[in-house]
Amino acid sequence: MKQERLLGILVTIIREKEVTAPRLAELFEVSRRTINRDVESLCLAGIPLITRQGKGGGITLPEGFILEEASFPPEVIPRLAEGWNALRDLYPDQEILPPLTRQADREGGELLSVDLKSFYGDSIITKITLIRQAMGEGRDLRFTYYGRNGREEKKIRPLRILYRWSAWYVRGYCREREEFRLYKLQRLWDPA
């Protein structure tokens, strides 16, 4: 679990350019102390993270840093590549870690492969994209949901997309029930 979190922290920093420890703690549902230890672990692995304390501070990478320059121990590379392969479908427009996967191939190829693609393929990616847009814009999401009670129209404030129990879900605040709920993406249709 720690390796996946370390990779997630690294991808978040690369994607957002600078991020605070409290934001990472909230995102990965761990304490700030755990994030501090994780940042230290990444630094020990050769990632030159820069941390700035106080207001306006955060965690970032040096300007022009390329991940290929990092020196990972050979036994860590296949695990990092597995994590990247699992995340790649969620960020198809970003080339974050290709050198890492090339190095993993040189170290002996895939012994374990994690594929988070759904049987429902493109429809799940489309739903995830629309949900991420709603989260980024801070707006509610409307959709038709087919659950135990049949077909229902829902309006939620999406907060998190997660993969759990071999399926994709969105967690959000349901306006009708006035509580946080979890919705399976396979049962969610026509998001807008």
Side-chain angles (χ1 to χ4, degrees):
M1 191 66 173
K2 182 178 179 180
Q3 284 83 14
E4 290 89 352
R5 189 175 63 246
L6 290 173
L7 181 62
I9 289 169
L10 183 58
V11 169
T12 302
I13 293 168
I14 291 170
R15 194 178 66 229
E16 296 184 14
K17 306 295 185 231
E18 186 170 50
V19 65
T20 64
R23 164 112 168 87
L24 289 171
E26 177 186 339
L27 190 63
F28 293 98
E29 298 177 342
V30 295
S31 69
R32 284 179 63 180
R33 180 177 282 180
T34 298
I35 293 298
N36 291 339
R37 284 193 298 262
D38 289 345
V39 166
E40 186 176 334
S41 294
L42 286 168
C43 289
L44 290 172
I47 306 295
L49 294 175
I50 300 169
T51 58
R52 287 191 292 270
Q53 303 291 324
K55 188 173 182 173
I59 304 164
T60 188
L61 285 162
E63 188 70 32
F65 172 77
I66 298 172
L67 191 59
E68 197 167 19
E69 294 171 2
S71 57
F72 292 104
E75 67 274 8
V76 172
I77 292 167
R79 285 183 276 167
L80 290 173
E82 289 161 16
W84 169 243
N85 285 331
L87 292 171
R88 184 175 23 210
D89 290 329
L90 297 181
Y91 302 101
D93 56 331
Q94 297 185 17
E95 287 289 320
I96 297 175
L97 300 176
L100 196 58
T101 56
R102 283 196 303 271
Q103 191 170 350
D105 289 341
R106 285 194 304 271
E107 297 293 335
E110 290 183 7
L111 297 178
L112 172 69
S113 178
V114 178
D115 187 350
L116 297 180
K117 287 182 185 172
S118 169
F119 175 74
Y120 300 94
D122 292 339
S123 71
I124 292 292
I125 297 300
T126 301
K127 291 173 188 177
I128 288 172
T129 301
L130 292 170
I131 293 166
R132 285 177 60 205
Q133 285 173 349
M135 288 189 306
E137 295 167 5
R139 65 173 170 83
D140 287 349
L141 182 73
R142 295 177 184 272
F143 54 87
T144 303
Y145 193 72
Y146 296 88
R148 280 181 253 148
N149 300 329
R151 180 179 187 230
E152 298 177 274
E153 298 302 315
K154 299 287 183 184
K155 180 180 177 183
I156 68 166
R157 174 61 55 103
L159 302 171
R160 174 166 291 157
I161 301 167
L162 50 133
Y163 187 82
R164 184 181 289 171
W165 309 302
S166 73
W168 286 101
Y169 294 84
V170 60
R171 179 168 172 72
Y173 184 77
C174 178
R175 297 297 186 186
E176 178 186 342
R177 295 187 181 197
E178 297 182 341
E179 64 183 10
F180 293 97
R181 307 283 295 191
L182 197 62
Y183 299 95
K184 195 172 193 176
L185 293 193
Q186 291 168 258
R187 298 180 176 187
L188 183 152
W189 296 93
D190 306 318

